[in-house]
Amino acid sequence: MFAIETENLTKYYGKHRGVVSLFLQVKEGQIFGYLGPNGAGKTTTIRLLMNLIGPMDGNAKVLGLDLNKSGLEARRHIGYLPGELSLYEDLTGKELLNYLGNLGRSVDWALVAYLSELFECDLTRPIRELSRGNKQKIGLIQAFMHKPDLLILDEPTIGLDPLMQHAFLELLERVKKEGRTVFLSSHNLGEVEKSCDEIGIIREGKLVAVESVESLKQKFLKHIEVEFKSAPPLEAFAGITNIIDIKPKGTVFEFVIQGELDPMLKRIAEFEVENLTSHDISLEDIFMDYYSGEMENA
Amino acid sequence: MLRSVYTKTLREISTSLLWWSVGLFGYVFFSCYFYPVIASKASAFVQLIKDVSLMNFFTGASGDFVTPQGYLFSEFFSAIGPLLLIIFSIGFGADAIAGEENRKTADLLLSNPITRSRIILDKFLVLLTGNFVLSLALWLGFLLGGHIYHIQIDSLKLIQTNLGMFLLSLSFGSLAFMVSAWLGQKGLASSISTLISVISYFLWGFGSMVNSLKPYEKLSLFYYYAGDNPLKKGLSSKSALILLVPAVVCLIVALGTYEKRDIRI
């Protein structure tokens, strides 16, 4: 069963594109990273899933509930952190959690105590006196405090220091172990790479890739530098289709490879190799490739 | 105080509501305090009003400034009272829904399992409560001031006048509330409502003096509230109903439009 399922979801703001024909499926129990640059349609997707805006076409289901018909029931099982978090400044953290807890969901106060300790968050101070990071912690606590089946988090670690980011990743691990689902939109690619089972990349309102991080890494371009004892002829590598590019510099050859490495390694083994360097590909490289168009060109 | 949108919103405005109530109570009380001085110089005031026809505008078209009913109507009920209540009402009405969007708390609020109609009804209930509390403060001010300074006013007509003022300010507040819920724009909601209330006031105020405006004075809600001094003649049930209709219509439109529209980011 899918925790999130959208079908042809489309949203325009006048002439401006939000998302176009979005088909998205997020499996239950996984942590799904949703990536894209500013304006790609991430927040539009999230606000559609939260029923804050309505689609022009298509539909969405959350935890098997059609948002058009059962949006209220769906929200009962969702913990949400908005990207542009704004809290009621006149309340203290505890008052805010108490207020939100009275709006249709029961709060696990033992969990609140655990979360406030995990994030080192003082819930007794008025929110207007808190720093950006401390407000973000309260935002996270309110999203997690009722043990939702699905968490929709838009830029959850903005303003958090590295220690708190680490605490957040720990919390995601705990949620995952409990079999709950997390839909995570983030610009922090390191965080996504560490925590997500699968990622979706959105560009100009369209979903351009949905895959596991490992699988994406497999598919993406790898840069391998090989130093030969004496330079082999370029023709020796002809016919290996997954070599995208070769840049020879004397006896050092830089190979750009897509997919499996095996055919290329077998071929270079026919020559005397002095050194071989493989540049680890990060999610950031993949992301940059997608947006620079290198992937398409390849 | 944080059990619902109603109690949370009431808490937000409680300090402001308290000071508004104190201010209105004080204004009314001191209006009563000055009445004996006015009554003692009755002939001079009557002459002034006869000489300057524009004074009718400021005395609520009654031309009566020296009887208790005439004085209180001119001093408070014809202009300053309803306008102060309307300012409060429009201020809250415009902020009620759009304010949550302007302050960007709407996303957080609506992510909870609460219907939009529940939010509209709770916020509208705060508008009603606010208007009621201010009307109550006014009534208490008149009750105490009238008692201390021996101003004889029919208590039923005083209640009817207060009710009329309550419904009048509620209607303009509801207009602001409706625009706020419909468009999510606080500035636009308060501008439109203020403009309409000012036009409505002048239409009624000048309607009794300018013949060409006479046919249009019935378009003004002030006409149904003030008529010919409700402190003297009371508020008819027909007028009360007419004053109530805009509030009900605005609430229905607010419910219908807020339910489906996109929440502004």
Side-chain angles (χ1 to χ4, degrees), chain B residues 154-199:
Chain B
D154 184 323
S155 55
L156 181 65
K157 290 195 171 81
L158 182 62
I159 288 173
Q160 287 180 339
T161 307
N162 262 301
L163 174 68
M165 198 160 60
F166 165 80
L167 292 172
L168 180 77
S169 67
L170 180 66
S171 278
F172 286 114
S174 303
L175 177 66
F177 186 90
M178 179 191 75
V179 179
S180 169
W182 191 349
L183 303 174
Q185 294 185 51
K186 185 177 164 182
L188 195 62
S190 57
S191 312
I192 290 174
S193 315
T194 303
L195 182 68
I196 291 176
S197 60
V198 168
I199 290 171

Side-chain angles (χ1 to χ4, degrees), chain A residues 192-209:
Chain A
V192 172
E193 192 171 355
K194 277 180 203 159
S195 61
C196 293
D197 303 303
E198 201 168 44
I199 63 167
I201 297 182
I202 185 169
R203 183 171 65 186
E204 292 172 6
K206 290 180 178 169
L207 202 58
V208 291

Side-chain angles (χ1 to χ4, degrees), chain A residues 33-96:
Chain A
Y34 199 47
L35 306 180
N38 296 332
K42 299 188 302 294
T43 298
T44 298
T45 309
I46 287 175
R47 297 187 90 235
L48 282 163
L49 294 174
M50 293 306 302
N51 259 3
L52 295 166
I53 53 176
M56 298 173 83
D57 199 5
N59 59 60
K61 281 184 183 174
V62 168
L63 301 166
L65 297 162
D66 187 332
L67 289 181
N68 277 330
K69 295 171 190 160
S70 314
L72 184 80
E73 186 53 28
R75 289 201 299 279
R76 205 176 293 284
H77 304 281
I78 300 175
Y80 172 56
L81 177 73
E84 212 170 321
L85 177 68
S86 191
L87 305 171
Y88 295 100
E89 302 272 322
D90 55 318
L91 304 180
T92 64
K94 189 166 187 186
E95 284 172 336
L96 175 82

Side-chain angles (χ1 to χ4, degrees), chain A residues 1-5 26-29 49 60-67 70 73-79 147-152 179-182:
Chain A
M1 187 172 157
F2 295 107
I4 296 173
E5 197 175 5
V26 177
K27 294 182 201 89
E28 270 190 353
L49 294 174
K61 281 184 183 174
V62 168
L63 301 166
L65 297 162
D66 187 332
L67 289 181
S70 314
E73 186 53 28
R75 289 201 299 279
R76 205 176 293 284
H77 304 281
I78 300 175
K147 282 193 173 176
D149 297 320
L150 169 66
L151 282 139
I152 296 182
R180 297 189 275 149
T181 314
V182 181

